[in-house]
Amino acid sequence: MERRTALRTTVVVAAGSAIAATLTACGSDGGSGNAGTINLPADTALVKASQRTGQADSFEADLTIADTGDGGTTIRGSGDVRLRPNLAFTATLDQLKVGGQTLPGVGSRAILVGDTLYAKVPRLAEFATGGKPWLRLNVDRTGRRLGFGFDEITDAVQRVNPAEQTKMFTGSKDARRVGEEKIEGVRTGHYTGTVTLQDALNRLDPQTREKVRRWHTDGSDRLAFDIWIDSENLPRKLVVKGTSKGHETSTVTVLYRDYGKKIRVNPPPADQVGDVTDTVGRFLGGGN
């Protein structure tokens, strides 16, 4: 169970961090534009942010997911993501707590290149790869043996993808501007509001709507959000709280930076990698 949790969590954080923002390919740091644009009314700011974030090619993000179920779970990770021309990322697991207990796996890393996932999970190396620090598996071939595949990775991306999140927020009927704040030294406008899950989903195209619906497994029926948008209409911070019948179910927090940075995602050196594509089911207890 511990081995399965460590590997799955590394992938989830990788995907989540990978996920975490759809920002810009224009090469701007978002801090030099017209400061007046951070004073836009909430409805205008959200629409502009939605349009702008849809242009993202790459970004760096820090992600924290906190769920209240099963005694409480906190996952914290960070990563670099390239969305186009194809999805690729590197990510690190910085914290994993379940029911108040810190679990093994902190410091684990994941790299996705093409259809190959590389994971550096120290506690797996001794028996899964003959001591080599990195394991490699073909996502398509292992697929359901681990309970995740590309569908799960892309679904996870939707959970904190600002391009989709800001579209969802445009369904809010009470969004408002709170004021101006600096996020990591960048001036931003702070906006807040709520939206029912159904109104949020109605803002999305049918394919995206179904993906987003799948990751709302915590029972949330309303989302409360805070978003900090810079002078170039780019989110710098996002906090989304899911609620069900008035009770908080989960909180997702993302910090974004290095928008448009050229990201090279390279696999580890071949002599440090052990392939587990055909054996992963056995050593995780899932059979063949």
Side-chain angles (χ1 to χ4, degrees):
M1 177 64 68
E2 179 180 296
R3 290 175 281 172
R4 184 187 298 268
T5 298
L7 181 57
R8 284 183 175 174
T9 301
T10 301
V11 176
V12 169
V13 171
S17 299
I19 312 166
T22 310
L23 293 164
T24 181
C26 300
S28 168
D29 68 0
S32 60
N34 177 6
T37 61
I38 66 175
N39 296 317
L40 293 171
D43 54 352
T44 303
L46 291 172
V47 169
K48 286 183 174 291
S50 175
Q51 294 169 343
R52 182 65 158 151
T53 54
Q55 301 171 8
D57 276 349
S58 64
F59 60 87
E60 179 182 329
D62 295 340
L63 167 71
T64 301
I65 301 174
D67 290 324
T68 60
D70 298 325
T73 299
T74 300
I75 301 173
R76 191 187 309 274
S78 57
D80 294 324
V81 185
R82 185 185 71 214
L83 297 173
R84 285 179 285 272
N86 46 48
L87 177 63
F89 60 73
T90 63
T92 301
L93 176 63
D94 301 315
Q95 182 183 30
L96 173 59
K97 295 182 70 174
V98 177
Q101 300 295 314
T102 298
L103 299 186
V106 173
S108 299
R109 297 178 60 199
I111 299 174
L112 180 72
V113 181
D115 61 358
T116 302
L117 178 71
Y118 299 88
K120 188 175 186 180
V121 185
R123 301 195 60 154
L124 293 180
E126 58 188 83
F127 55 85
T129 61
K132 293 183 178 180
W134 288 88
L135 61 84
R136 175 181 62 219
L137 59 88
N138 181 288
V139 178
D140 285 336
R141 286 172 57 189
T142 56
R144 302 302 168 181
R145 293 181 187 175
L146 297 181
F148 68 81
F150 269 112
D151 285 346
E152 284 71 25
I153 291 176
T154 57
D155 284 358
V157 169
Q158 300 300 331
R159 181 161 191 172
V160 286
N161 178 343
E164 306 304 338
Q165 293 285 353
T166 47
K167 284 182 185 177
M168 293 168 65
F169 300 158
T170 60
S172 173
K173 297 178 175 61
D174 61 5
R176 63 192 185 280
R177 183 178 182 276
V178 177
E180 181 181 325
E181 298 175 33
K182 282 192 174 182
I183 301 297
E184 297 188 319
V186 176
R187 293 179 65 190
T188 68
H190 178 188
Y191 302 89
T192 189
T194 63
V195 62
T196 67
L197 180 58
Q198 190 56 56
D199 284 345
L201 293 173
N202 288 342
R203 296 287 172 154
L204 305 176
D205 63 76
Q207 183 176 9
T208 303
R209 185 183 307 147
E210 184 55 34
K211 288 183 178 181
V212 172
R213 195 191 304 276
R214 284 201 296 266
W215 56 253
H216 272 293
T217 58
D218 58 6
S220 297
D221 52 28
R222 177 174 289 272
L223 307 176
F225 63 87
D226 285 87
I227 186 168
W228 289 258
I229 302 173
D230 69 18
S231 61
E232 307 238 352
N233 303 315
L234 297 170
R236 288 287 177 160
K237 182 179 179 180
L238 174 67
V239 178
V240 183
K241 296 182 178 181
T243 61
S244 177
K245 298 180 180 179
H247 298 287
E248 187 175 315
T249 57
S250 63
T251 301
V252 176
T253 303
V254 193
L255 288 170
Y256 314 108
R257 66 183 71 87
D258 287 342
Y259 314 141
K261 175 183 176 181
K262 188 172 184 179
I263 294 176
R264 289 187 174 88
V265 180
N266 299 312
D271 62 357
Q272 296 183 25
V273 177
D275 194 285
V276 298
T277 297
D278 296 325
T279 60
V280 67
R282 290 198 296 273
F283 75 74
L284 288 181
N288 292 317

